[in-house]
Amino acid sequence: MNHRYSRHIALSEIGIEGQQKLTNARVLVVGAGGLGCPILQYLTAAGIGKIGIIDFDKIEISNLQRQILFDEKTIGENKALIAKKKLERLNGSIEIKAYPEQLTYQNAINYFKEYDIIVDGTDNFETRYLINDAAILTDKPLVYGAIYKFEGQVAVFNYKGGPSYRCLFPSPPKGEAIPNCNDLGVLGVLPGIIGTMQANEVLKIILGFGTVLSGKLLCYDALQMQIHTMILQKSITEINKIKSKREEFSRNKFSNELCNKNAPTIHIKEALLRNNIQLIDVRESHEMPFIKGDNILNISLKELKENLSKIQANKEVMIFCQSGYRSKKAVEILNKEGIYNCWSIEESAIEIANVLADNKLEINNKIDEKI
Amino acid sequence: MKLKIKYFGMLTEITQCTEEEIPLLKGKVQDVIRFLIHKYPLLENRDFKIAQNQIVVSNQATLTSEEIALLPPFSGG
């Protein structure tokens, strides 16, 4: 061990004792994309004893411009599993755990409990707020990073009683959904820079040296090569709001604030009792579990507007997604297009899959009747 | 005296600049926001926080500084 980490150990600020702290540390990285790849690579190289990787997504060729753990041979594979494989070649002496699934309100608390530090490398507000809230409820420091075209933000939240992401932005943006890097474009090196800064904060927290970026928001501009650091105030009210909702959390009642509160919702079992329904899955085609059937249309949220003609207006349209966020967005989109007989199904895709499996016969009969 | 305004992220697409100077205002932070929304109506539909002299403040805070930054949330990763 000493030879592998000799350049760390040679630093009097780290030494053998510091390296041992890294070995004992457990870090969970949510998202193995543009930010997650450099974060994971440096944490693995540094010898963090246990690293968790959560990502449900699969590798696409357009990811290779910035997601440096992947290559042409891994296209189509799950990001968390390939990242684990690649990182194990870099450092076989540490434990790497891959979770090829989506972080949800149901699993977040249990996963976070297994780790000392949580790192946010995700690409959407829904998961960012979920991570923030779960970090508060499990009392874990959160190393946050986010990017937009040529700019990035870095901060450490919930560190030794410091501010959280909600102290800065109490609730998700209400405006039009802000597109992610896939839709918008991003300078390839930018997540490399921001992710490396996040890895640096992780090391500082574990090693207990330097000044952790807590209570501050670092704003990086790659074009001007400028850094501005803003000071944040803690909002006890915002933090207590999360703490008081501990019970609702795992029951997925939180996500409602992210979306159209007016979107009517329905339970899957209730939806199946109706006579004339059409089910629409607005998830991306690769998301697990696959839910297919004669009566189920698979149209991803971003393709919904172009596929309105596929929706049978004479039926009651029941929409679902992975967690209930996108399905509410979909209802909103359809309402705007003049389709009002639609509902968002409250249950997650996994729960829906189970219910559908139990009811398979009934559903098929119902379709036969109507056709 | 002038008030220096800095814009970040997607806000620069509305303002077409990363910083500029506006006439010095008195009052609260929200008065600056009102002035800027008047100048750039599209800002009204955007979410952002204000930092005054590099300290993030509420819109009710009294204007004390010569430098205001508009910080939007980023979601990319």
Side-chain angles (χ1 to χ4, degrees):
Chain A
M1 159 179 159
N2 288 3
H3 196 57
R4 172 185 275 268
Y5 304 116
S6 59
R7 300 303 186 271
H8 262 169
I9 293 166
L11 292 167
S12 60
E13 292 83 354
I14 298 182
I16 290 185
E17 199 186 318
Q19 192 60 47
Q20 194 56 50
K21 286 184 188 166
L22 296 176
T23 306
N24 295 341
R26 304 167 301 166
V27 180
L28 178 65
V29 180
V30 188
L35 292 171
C37 284
I39 295 166
L40 287 163
Q41 189 143 25
Y42 274 107
L43 295 184
T44 302
I48 300 294
K50 181 179 171 182
I51 296 177
I53 312 165
I54 302 185
D55 204 316
F56 70 94
D57 210 358
K58 64 175 183 184
I59 300 159
E60 292 175 32
I61 191 149
S62 64
N63 299 151
L64 303 186
Q65 162 255 22
R66 64 193 183 285
Q67 301 184 13
I68 52 170
L69 288 174
F70 312 131
D71 58 56
E72 290 171 9
K73 288 197 177 117
T74 60
I75 288 165
E77 308 269 347
N78 171 268
K79 289 184 182 180
L81 294 172
I82 294 298
K84 173 183 154 81
K85 222 181 202 176
K86 183 88 188 259
L87 294 167
E88 278 171 346
R89 286 207 289 270
L90 170 60
N91 195 341
S93 63
I94 64 170
E95 184 191 348
I96 301 173
K97 224 169 155 177
Y99 306 87
E101 57 189 288
Q102 193 158 35
L103 186 76
T104 64
Y105 287 83
Q106 287 78 31
N107 64 23
I109 301 285
N110 282 338
Y111 286 163
F112 281 25
K113 279 182 184 163
E114 271 186 58
Y115 297 87
D116 308 312
I117 300 171
I118 313 300
V119 189
D120 181 352
T122 57
D123 64 357
N124 63 84
F125 285 116
E126 182 187 13
T127 321
R128 288 186 182 283
Y129 279 87
L130 162 58
I131 292 171
N132 177 75
D133 298 346
I136 291 175
L137 291 175
T138 52
D139 198 20
K140 305 285 178 182
L142 165 62
V143 180
Y144 157 89
I147 52 177
Y148 182 82
K149 288 186 177 179
F150 304 99
E151 292 177 51
Q153 296 174 340
V154 186
V156 176
F157 293 121
N158 205 40
Y159 176 70
K160 295 188 175 171
S164 74
Y165 185 57
R166 283 189 190 266
C167 302
L168 175 62
F169 299 113
S171 48
K174 287 171 212 71
E176 285 287 296
I178 294 168
N180 63 28
C181 298
N182 290 335
D183 306 323
L184 201 68
V186 62
L187 187 68
V189 297
L190 180 71
I193 295 167
I194 298 299
T196 309
M197 287 185 183
Q198 289 178 269
N200 182 41
E201 292 305 314
V202 171
L203 297 186
K204 279 157 56 187
I205 292 171
I206 298 166
L207 294 166
F209 62 32
T211 309
V212 172
L213 196 63
S214 170
K216 291 172 192 161
L217 178 75
L218 183 147
C219 305
Y220 173 80
D221 180 343
L223 290 184
Q224 309 303 324
M225 205 55 201
Q226 280 186 341
I227 290 176
H228 293 91
T229 309
M230 311 296 176
I231 294 170
L232 306 178
Q233 314 288 344
K234 182 176 172 177
S235 164
I236 304 272
T237 324
E238 289 302 329
I239 293 173
N240 283 347
K241 243 189 246 172
I242 302 306
K243 286 186 176 167
S244 70
K245 288 182 185 168
R246 192 177 291 270
E247 289 304 308
E248 289 107 302
F249 193 84
S250 55
R251 280 189 276 121
N252 199 12
K253 295 293 178 213
F254 257 43
S255 55
N256 293 339
E257 65 164 333
L258 285 148
C259 25
N260 178 10
K261 284 201 179 87
N262 301 320
T265 57
I266 189 166
H267 288 293
I268 177 68
K269 285 184 178 164
E270 199 185 317
L272 293 175
L273 291 175
R274 307 263 182 119
N275 280 325
N276 195 19
I277 65 164
Q278 175 171 43
L279 283 167
I280 301 182
D281 180 356
V282 290
R283 299 175 301 158
E284 301 295 318
S285 58
H286 59 265
E287 286 181 63
M288 303 288 272
F290 294 130
I291 300 180
K292 305 273 180 208
D294 297 340
N295 194 28
I296 300 169
L297 263 183
N298 302 85
I299 311 173
S300 75
L301 183 64
K302 59 185 179 212
E303 288 162 354
L304 189 60
K305 260 189 198 166
E306 289 77 54
N307 288 286
L308 294 175
S309 58
K310 291 185 184 166
I311 297 167
Q312 293 167 274
N314 60 333
K315 292 195 171 183
E316 292 186 311
V317 182
M318 304 294 175
I319 304 169
F320 67 92
C321 62
Q322 203 71 6
S323 66
Y325 167 64
R326 279 172 288 174
S327 56
K328 289 202 187 74
K329 272 271 167 217
V331 169
E332 202 175 317
I333 290 170
L334 293 183
N335 285 169
K336 272 187 194 157
E337 298 294 331
I339 302 170
Y340 295 105
N341 54 335
C342 38
W343 286 260
S344 164
I345 298 178
E346 287 205 16
E347 285 79 5
S348 68
I350 296 166
E351 293 168 292
I352 291 169
N354 290 336
V355 174
L356 288 178
D358 293 344
N359 287 272
K360 200 162 179 32
L361 232 152
E362 271 175 59
I363 303 164
N364 287 340
N365 290 343
K366 204 162 279 175
I367 294 162
D368 291 342
E369 273 168 37
K370 292 296 149 189
I371 293 168
Chain B
M1 287 283 277
K2 296 266 186 182
L3 195 58
K4 194 183 198 179
I5 314 285
K6 284 179 186 287
Y7 304 103
F8 288 86
M10 51 297 278
L11 302 181
T12 62
E13 287 154 25
I14 294 173
T15 61
Q16 294 295 310
C17 63
T18 55
E19 60 176 74
E20 66 176 330
E21 289 186 334
I22 64 166
L24 191 62
L25 299 171
K26 278 188 181 158
K28 290 184 173 172
V29 163
Q30 65 184 18
D31 296 314
V32 178
I33 298 176
R34 207 169 291 141
F35 179 93
L36 294 174
I37 287 175
H38 185 70
K39 188 170 180 184
Y40 307 104
L42 289 174
L43 281 182
E44 187 155 23
N45 301 320
R46 297 304 173 115
D47 289 87
F48 53 83
K49 281 293 272 217
I50 297 284
Q52 172 163 242
N53 260 354
Q54 312 218 321
I55 299 173
V56 176
V57 292
S58 86
N59 295 353
Q60 299 307 315
T62 307
L63 270 177
T64 55
S65 76
E66 286 120 47
E67 190 180 295
I68 294 285
L70 276 66
L71 309 168
F74 292 175
S75 69

